[in-house]
Each structure stands twice: as structure tokens, then as C-alpha cells.
Amino acid sequence: MANRNCRNTLHLLKRTNPFSHSSTNPTLLPSSSPLNSSPLSKFSIFGTRFDQNPIHLEPNVFRSDNKALSFFNPFGNLVKTKQWGVGVQNRCYGSTSGLVQRNPRFSKLNDEDVRYFEEILGAKNVIQDDEKLIAANTDWMHKYKGSSKLLLQPRTTEQVSQILKYCNSRCLAVVPQGGNTGLVGGSVPVFDEVIVSLSSMNNIISFDKVSGILVCEAGCILENIISFLDNEGFIMPLDLGAKGSCQIGGNVSTNAGGLRLVRYGSLHGSVLGIEAVLANGTVLDMLKTLRKDNTGYDLKHLFIGSEGSLGIVTKVSILTPPKLASVNVAFLACKDYSSCQKLLQEAKRKLGEILSAFEFLDSQSMNLVLNHLEGARNPLPSSQYNFYVLIETTGSDESSDKQKLEAFLLGSMENELISDGVLAQDINQASSFWLLREGIPEALMRAGAVYKYDLSIPVENLYNLVDEMRTRLGNAANVVGYGHLGDGNLHLNISTSKYDDKILSQIEPFVYEWTSKHHGSISAEHGLGLMKANKIFYSNSSDTVQVMVSIKNLLDPNHILNPYKVLPHSLIS
């Protein structure tokens, strides 16, 4: 048999629906299981390595229910900043983006401005409290810190319109802000820009159970939308580790990718319409709920992924799929990256329409999580492996889905693509598996300094960058690679004990040059923000960027919307 000498076995646990409200204690596979008549039956089949009394988590929210996964308040451990216009924290940074100079055309905030905003919003929604401003001025990574003196909290689209119309007339720069969970400095001020928070615009406007189309305001927290849809028998096509804090308007404005992109695609496909306010206060009503509409240019796509630089998204209509009854989560070990690639190819062929997530992490990522994240437990403790893969399937026929997944795993074992693995038998185990993947960013933060890069690279070359970076840095840093292998998204992280300009000079611009050489993108899902605004030419031609600048000049001629972000500073100053 091909896998007779395999050191470990695939621990296939009897599975109940991990998203059901009840679960049973793990049991061995019954004698009637097809596994016992297969070649795999010659391997021992283990019981659970998990608690016998699992915690029952609510459907579809288990990944962020663990507090270790929540996007915690990033402002409790602030360190002194080094002011170069933008405050680059000593705690964590990846690229300083060069020296940024404040645009002298922008006006300074005065008392008259504050009084005007209080008239239209009410005094309680015009925030000048230092503690709240510190939070709004600082990003989640503690990487960038602005110096805004004013936070506005509109409750309606009309109020957003009035704010922007006034700011445009006064040439006051504005930063739209959602949940402030971004990683490239896109959601915080660079200097003294007025912060416009959408957090008070958090109403679900309508939901059509027949079509599955949801219409909501931009300030709705993603997790709240997920809970609402779950009660209606639907799910969001978007799922993020930051869902407990991030807002749908910010998700759309950054074209957030997340864990389900391999199944449902990007927000360019799921978002049917938006409402957006331009810099001059004009409200663009593109809040359609039609799946087919070929009447001219589809302008909504300009705002999906533009990071608030063209307008502020205030409402969204989005197509949501029905919640399916059968969900399976498997955590597998592979000997090398080549096996991960082949496993992905086989998963697409053999699992087809039920494949909903295909995530990978290397041994360095696994060790970081196990060493730095409370509650993380290794489901495969018998040996150390080079790579791990998390596969999720979602379907409508529990029996058929189970057979399909088991056949895929057996075939992958026989072909030596899998060295070891476990199947979750309830939601508690599924949550434990997801913690290992989603807990990596938190573990990296706890380990010390970290340089973070979010790259889209053809799958066959994706991990080569990690290997080359390890060769380049040697023992000076711990190079970590993980991400959404199903859609070619690598999260490259360089972890060190402290920040060092020499290390940064070894990383940049090498990482961007390598990505460009291999026809990749320097930003897969995090956006460009401030960090990569001047790096855009690594992924786009000069002619393409110039067209983007022309669009910016047309929609925001005074450049008041999220200045210094997305586009090269030299072209929009």
C-alpha cells in the first residue's frame, strides 16, 4: 500500500454538523463506516483529543467568539511615537512610506467649524475628548498615529452629505472611518484630518428572503450582520477574523477578501449596489438590488476597494447565499509545499462546489500560535510537520458531503499528499482548528516586532518568496508564511525581537520587486492605504495609475477625501 510507511494516520472522527446547536461526545467510527472497509482501516483510528464537554457556540460566529481572536482595543499599549507627519509607532511597522508632508492647501480646524458640526449633528456627536481621539487616531497595529482634533458621528446620509459639502468648501481634509481594523494605515488620519465615523449608521434597512438580498447602512458590524442573517437562514459571503469590530462599509471600501473568497468570490461580485457621498456632498444613489443591470457604466465598482478616497459609502445592498446544513472542517498536515499545492488541485476537483475554505500555514506559524496564544492546542501533537492545511466544506446534503470528503481524504492519504489529519466532529473542535489559523496575527503581535506583507502570487510560486526571504535574512528574523492558498493570497510576516532599519532594508524593496517579477499584486486584500501608496507601480502601469489619478481629480478635485492614501503622493499633491 502506498502509505504503509506513513508515520502517522489520519484521525477521522465521527462528525456531527459543527454548526448545529447540539453535539455529541466524540466516538470512534462505527463498524458500518465505509472507512473500515477501506485501506485506511489498517491504520488505528483514534478518539478525540478534545474536551468531552464542548462549549456550544452560536452558528457562524465561532471564529471570533474566542476572545483571543477579537480585534482588541489597540490603544491600551501605546508607545511613544516618532512624528514624521504620520506617527510611525515603534511597536510595529512594515513600511514608513517615506516622509509625508502635510498638504498646505488644507485648512486648519477652528471653533467656527466645530460650532457648525454641532448644529447639524448635535454636540454629543461631535467628539473632542482626548481619550476617544487617541483611539480614533491610532490604527489597530499601533503602526500609524494621526493628530486629529475632531471626530464626527453622523447618523444619516444627509448628515454625511452636509459634513462633506462644508469640508469641501473649507478645504478641510477628511478621513472616513469604520471599525478601524485596517493594517496599512488607511483608516486613521495622517495629520489633523477630520475623522468621520460611520459607527452610528448601523441599521439593517431590509432583507428579502426570496432573493437573499440585504440592504444595510455602512456602520453595521460584520458579526452583527452575520448573526442577523443566521436567524434568517442565510450567511454572509464575507467572513473575517476581525468581524467583531469591522464594519460593512469599510469592508466594501477596502474590498475585503477573507476566508470564503474561494467559494463566493470578492465583494465586486456580491455587492449589488451602494449609496455613496462624494466630496462635494452629492449623494450617488446606486443602491440597486438587481443582479442584472446593463444601463451604462457600473460606477459602484469605483467605490469598492477605493478605500474612501473617492467617496464615503453610506449604504450597501449585498447578495447573501442561504445557510447550508452540512459543514465539515478538517485540519491536515503536509510534508512540503508541493503537497499543499497538489492537495488544493485535488480539493477543487474532488470537492468542487462544497469547498468553502482552503487555508494553509507553515510550521513557524503553528509554533507561534501554540507558544503565544492562550487556548491554542495542537490537534496533531505526535509529530512536527512542515505545513498544515485547514479545509472547510459547506453543502446541503450531509450524507453526500461526508462521503465526498472522506473519499477525498482517503485518496489524498493514499497518494501521500497528507501525512496526518483530523476531522472536527462538533463546533468546539471546528473552533479549535480555526483558532490555529486565525490566531496567527495575534500571536505575531505578542511575539515582538513584525513586518507584515499581504501579497497575491500565483500559487505555484507563492511559497518561494518565503524561502528566499529566509535565505536573505538568515538568523536575523523568523520568517512566517500563511494565508488563503485557495485564492493565492500569501501573508508574509517577518518576526523579530525589535525593529531594525537594517532588517527593513533587506526586506524592502526586495519583497515588492520579487512580487512584481512574478506577476503578483503587492496588496491582495488589505489595500494600499498610506503604507503602499507609493508602491502602486509595482502592480500597475504608469498609464493605469494616471487614469486612477484622473478619476480622483474628477470626483474629489480638492483631494479632501482620505488624503495621502492609495495613490502616489507625487501625483496628487
Side-chain angles (χ1 to χ4, degrees), residues 445-458:
M445 290 284 287
R446 294 185 178 187
V450 58
Y451 304 83
K452 300 182 73 68
Y453 299 91
D454 160 53
L455 309 165
S456 188
I457 300 172

Side-chain angles (χ1 to χ4, degrees), residues 504-563:
L504 182 59
S505 67
Q506 286 288 97
I507 301 170
E508 296 183 19
F510 173 80
V511 66
Y512 298 125
E513 292 172 345
W514 193 99
T515 301
S516 179
K517 178 181 177 181
H518 291 84
H519 310 291
S521 170
I522 63 169
S523 179
E525 61 180 359
H526 293 169
L528 294 168
L530 176 66
M531 176 182 174
K532 300 178 183 178
N534 289 332
K535 315 294 185 184
I536 192 172
F537 294 107
Y538 285 106
S539 294
N540 292 281
S541 69
S542 58
D543 289 338
T544 300
V545 174
Q546 190 57 57
V547 170
M548 295 180 189
V549 172
S550 298
I551 294 171
K552 171 71 170 177
N553 290 336
L554 175 66
L555 298 182
D556 180 19
N558 291 327
H559 299 169
I560 67 165
L561 287 172
N562 220 4

Side-chain angles (χ1 to χ4, degrees), residues 10 84 101 109 116 124 130 132 138 145 185 189 194 209 232 247 258 308 338 348 358 362 380 393 411 415 428 464 517:
L10 183 67
W84 291 341
Q101 300 296 324
L109 187 72
Y116 173 80
K124 68 177 182 179
D130 288 341
K132 292 181 179 178
T138 312
K145 184 176 185 295
V194 174
K209 288 187 176 182
E232 300 292 335
Q247 298 171 13
S338 177
K348 288 181 176 180
F358 194 104
D362 58 16
L380 304 171
T393 65
N415 293 326
N428 194 43
N464 292 341
K517 178 181 177 181

Side-chain angles (χ1 to χ4, degrees), residues 413-454:
M413 176 67 80
E414 291 173 353
N415 293 326
E416 298 185 334
L417 300 182
I418 298 173
S419 301
D420 202 353
V422 288
L423 264 175
Q425 74 95 38
D426 59 25
I427 193 172
N428 194 43
Q429 293 178 13
S431 178
S432 298
F433 296 172
W434 274 111
L435 176 62
L436 297 172
R437 164 59 184 88
E438 288 193 301
I440 301 172
E442 174 101 6
L444 283 161
M445 290 284 287
R446 294 185 178 187
V450 58
Y451 304 83
K452 300 182 73 68
Y453 299 91
D454 160 53

Side-chain angles (χ1 to χ4, degrees), residues 268-386:
H268 278 290
S270 298
V271 173
L272 301 179
I274 66 168
E275 178 186 81
V277 184
L278 300 183
N280 64 4
T282 298
V283 178
L284 292 185
D285 184 358
M286 302 174 287
L287 198 64
K288 298 182 179 180
T289 57
L290 303 174
R291 296 189 65 182
K292 301 177 75 173
D293 180 13
N294 274 347
T295 54
Y297 306 128
D298 200 347
L299 294 180
K300 69 174 181 288
H301 291 294
L302 284 177
F303 298 89
I304 301 172
S306 65
E307 302 180 55
S309 64
L310 299 180
I312 298 182
V313 174
T314 50
K315 294 186 179 75
V316 177
S317 64
I318 187 166
L319 181 66
T320 68
K323 180 173 64 176
L324 302 177
S326 172
V327 180
N328 298 276
V329 180
F331 193 80
L332 312 172
C334 297
K335 61 183 178 182
D336 52 33
Y337 180 69
S338 177
S339 297
C340 295
Q341 286 187 76
K342 294 175 182 177
L343 191 65
L344 173 60
Q345 293 171 352
E346 287 299 297
K348 288 181 176 180
R349 291 191 183 102
K350 302 294 176 60
L351 300 178
E353 74 286 349
I354 67 171
L355 181 65
S356 54
F358 194 104
E359 303 288 306
F360 92 106
L361 56 150
D362 58 16
S363 59
Q364 289 83 352
S365 303
M366 184 71 156
N367 290 336
L368 273 169
V369 174
L370 294 177
N371 291 331
H372 294 283
L373 202 61
E374 183 179 354
R377 301 163 65 182
N378 189 352
L380 304 171
S382 59
S383 184
Q384 177 74 37
Y385 300 98
N386 293 323

